[in-house]
Amino acid sequence: MSNSQPVIVVGAGFAGVTAARELTRRGRQVVLLEARDRIGGRTYYTEKLGRKLELGGTWVHWFQPHVWAEVTRYGAELTQSPAPEKGYWIVGGCRHEGTADEMLDLLDTGARALGEDSLRLIPHPYAPYEVEAGSAAEAALLAADKLTVADKIAQLDLSDDQRELLDAFWTLSLSGPTNVGGYLQALRWHALCGGDWLLMFEACATYRLKNGTASLLQAILDDSDADLRLGAEVTAIDHDPAGVRVRLADGSTVAGSAVVVTLPLNALGSITVSPALAEGKQAAAREGQTSQGVKVWARVRGIVPPFAALAPAGHPLQLAQLEYTVDGDSLVVALGADSTAVDFADREAVQEVLRAWIPDIDVVDVAHHDWVADPYTRETWPMQRAGQLTGALAELRRPEGRFFLAGSDYARGWMGFIDGAIESGLDVARAVDAALNS
Ligand SMILES: Cc1cc2nc3c(=O)[nH]c(=O)nc-3n(C[C@H](O)[C@H](O)[C@H](O)COP(=O)(O)OP(=O)(O)OC[C@H]3O[C@@H](n4cnc5c(N)ncnc54)[C@H](O)[C@@H]3O)c2cc1C
């Protein structure tokens, strides 16, 4: 094996496609192996319920610098999710209805308080764990990383309703339980937005790509000379200082100078690596991260006014909001923290859940992709558990010989977002090229 052999990139989501573009631009040959019959990974723009919909990653923002650079580079256009007018929320076991602003006002005090220490604890959001050993900053960071979001919420001086709505918001954002998700994970989002929670909320869920995530991803892929192979499921990787040998499920092997693996943390254990990866990486993969949620679309009879709805943990969905209208019906997107809470492919089950907010809502059809059951994903958007920011992240980012991990799960900044996937693809491509040049 030699450095003139191709670099093998495993996975054609945003991280893999970005790494492939960067490496081919540096004159490297790239073989891009994707298990599915499509590119995109956790972004999936496809025809459902009467129009093209995003079943996975969707919203982007100019506060997310890596995806924004790609938006600029390829001239991608944005559209905006409708600003909600009505608000529906469940707290204290009761349904409430008012304006969206009334609901936001109830959330505001707690959301501000939770993010209050973000800039003090994470002054450099792209180097959150790089603090001077033995310093007071390190002690503060380590102490904070012991807390879950639920621990932090319990410390805040809030009314019961404020507390419950804040818990709903972070159950939604973590795509999993607040007693697992790390407090620092929440602070990292705040820190990336200058400590402003409303800006953070806007960055996470307002602007979408007009022609879908697939259009931006395809533009990046078209800018590379990578040899894309679909239906190429990788089962094992042997690596040594001279190169790598990648085995596929069909029994074939591909030899390369280095390998970039972009599998989500919760799916990383599905590939056998030899020699085995460092125990720190294996332990992180075994532990996994927080997210285990669901995103479901519902086609609702008639035109409903733009709304947003929130509900606490225990309710099968934490958020629902109007996204589009189509042929006299409305398309509602909803997110929940437990993909197994009900059968989200069942129209009646989803209708019953939505009726907890809007009693007369009439669901015509539903669509979703079960990312947690999907063997190539096993999670939604990655959200660190308590302890993982100061624990496993640095090890996960450390290459081992010719083996490199890339992806949203291992990003420095907007981990869990399309932006983080692109950031990591850029970072790792540079590191691979440097390693092969040295
Ligand atoms: C429901 C949902 C909603 C989201 N909402 C947003 C949002 O609004 N905004 C935002 O920015 N982000 C959002 N995200 C997160 C965002 O989509 C991801 O962080 C990002 O797309 C991850 O890109 P990636 O390349 O790191 O990983 P992935 O997209 O997961 O790519 C990994 C690739 O590896 C492939 N693969 C896996 N195993 C193998 C194997 N053995 N052999 C070969 N290939 C394999 C997979 O098929 C996949 O294509 C959302 C995610 C989900 C699931």
Side-chain angles (χ1 to χ4, degrees):
M1 287 183 272
S2 81
N3 285 0
S4 61
Q5 285 192 305
V7 177
I8 299 169
V9 177
V10 182
F14 268 93
V17 168
T18 303
R21 180 193 65 191
E22 295 303 300
L23 284 160
T24 60
R25 284 184 153 210
R26 287 173 155 90
R28 302 272 167 206
Q29 269 187 301
V30 171
V31 175
L32 180 54
L33 300 174
E34 169 52 54
R36 300 176 206 266
D37 60 0
R38 62 170 182 87
I39 62 169
R42 275 172 282 176
T43 57
Y44 190 10
Y45 188 58
T46 188
E47 190 74 36
K48 294 278 178 191
L49 309 181
R51 62 157 293 143
K52 281 198 152 188
L53 295 175
E54 302 278 8
L55 300 188
T58 308
W59 291 292
V60 298
H61 197 272
W62 49 91
F63 259 65
Q64 298 170 340
H66 302 92
V67 71
W68 197 252
E70 303 300 338
V71 164
T72 306
R73 187 196 303 242
Y74 298 111
E77 290 178 59
L78 300 190
T79 57
Q80 191 170 348
S81 293
E85 293 163 11
K86 297 208 68 167
Y88 304 94
W89 62 100
I90 296 169
V91 286
C94 297
R95 189 184 86 87
H96 301 263
E97 184 175 336
T99 64
D101 285 345
E102 282 171 311
M103 185 172 76
L104 268 189
D105 282 348
L106 186 61
L107 183 57
D108 185 67
T109 308
R112 265 177 217 282
L114 186 122
E116 203 171 24
D117 286 333
S118 59
L119 297 181
R120 183 177 66 78
L121 286 168
I122 308 183
H124 305 117
Y126 277 87
Y129 50 87
E130 290 167 19
V131 283
E132 196 186 328
S135 65
E138 186 193 45
L141 199 67
L142 289 171
D145 205 15
K146 290 198 167 66
L147 299 179
T148 63
V149 170
D151 293 333
K152 185 63 194 179
I153 291 176
Q155 291 175 1
L156 301 175
D157 182 18
L158 300 172
S159 71
D160 289 348
D161 284 0
Q162 286 171 329
R163 193 178 306 283
E164 216 179 333
L165 207 60
L166 182 62
D167 194 73
F169 179 78
W170 277 104
T171 305
L172 155 73
S173 303
L174 290 163
S175 193
T178 53
N179 63 3
V180 175
Y183 163 54
L184 282 187
Q185 169 66 71
L187 284 197
R188 205 167 162 194
W189 282 18
H190 285 86
L192 286 157
C193 293
D196 182 335
W197 92 269
L198 279 171
L199 179 56
M200 178 195 84
F201 196 13
E202 178 185 290
C204 292
T206 308
Y207 298 97
R208 28 176 156 77
L209 292 154
K210 186 174 170 193
N211 296 316
T213 47
S215 64
L216 187 63
L217 189 76
Q218 190 64 49
I220 300 173
L221 182 65
D222 289 347
D223 238 357
S224 90
D225 296 326
D227 171 9
L228 170 66
R229 302 184 194 171
L230 296 175
E233 181 186 331
V234 171
T235 55
I237 296 172
D238 299 334
H239 65 107
D240 62 36
V244 301
R245 192 171 296 278
V246 173
R247 268 178 280 151
L248 303 186
D250 66 6
S252 62
T253 58
V254 187
S257 53
V259 65
V260 177
V261 172
T262 70
L263 269 62
L265 182 64
N266 285 13
L268 193 56
S270 64
I271 294 183
T272 306
V273 183
S274 178
L277 294 176
E279 176 50 28
K281 288 193 182 71
Q282 291 186 50
R286 280 194 301 272
E287 182 183 52
Q289 47 72 56
T290 311
S291 78
Q292 52 183 59
V294 66
K295 173 178 183 176
V296 59
W297 286 91
R299 181 164 174 153
V300 167
R301 201 177 304 286
I303 304 293
V304 300
F307 74 92
L310 282 171
H315 195 264
L317 291 169
Q318 272 60 60
L319 172 88
Q321 66 182 41
L322 177 77
E323 280 292 315
Y324 301 103
T325 55
V326 57
D327 298 335
D329 285 344
S330 305
L331 296 181
V332 169
V333 71
L335 295 156
D338 178 0
S339 64
T340 64
V342 299
D343 178 359
F344 290 101
D346 179 347
R347 179 194 66 78
E348 282 184 31
V350 174
Q351 174 173 277
E352 194 183 325
V353 177
L354 292 179
R355 283 186 174 175
W357 283 304
I358 309 174
D360 57 353
I361 205 162
D362 195 2
V363 173
V364 180
D365 202 358
V366 289
H368 86 302
H369 179 86
D370 189 343
W371 297 102
V372 178
D374 182 332
Y376 302 129
T377 309
R378 300 278 180 216
E379 58 178 69
T380 58
W381 55 93
M383 297 298 282
Q384 289 175 321
R385 292 165 176 255
Q388 288 182 333
L389 184 106
T390 54
L393 184 57
E395 171 56 36
L396 287 166
R397 292 175 50 76
R398 186 181 64 82
E400 293 190 43
R402 298 296 177 90
F403 182 102
F404 296 77
L405 269 182
S408 174
D409 291 58
Y410 320 106
R412 287 188 298 159
W414 284 98
M415 174 191 175
F417 291 79
I418 295 166
D419 188 88
I422 295 171
E423 175 219 303
S424 178
L426 293 169
D427 244 3
V428 171
R430 194 186 55 249
V432 170
D433 194 50
L436 294 179
N437 281 338
S438 70

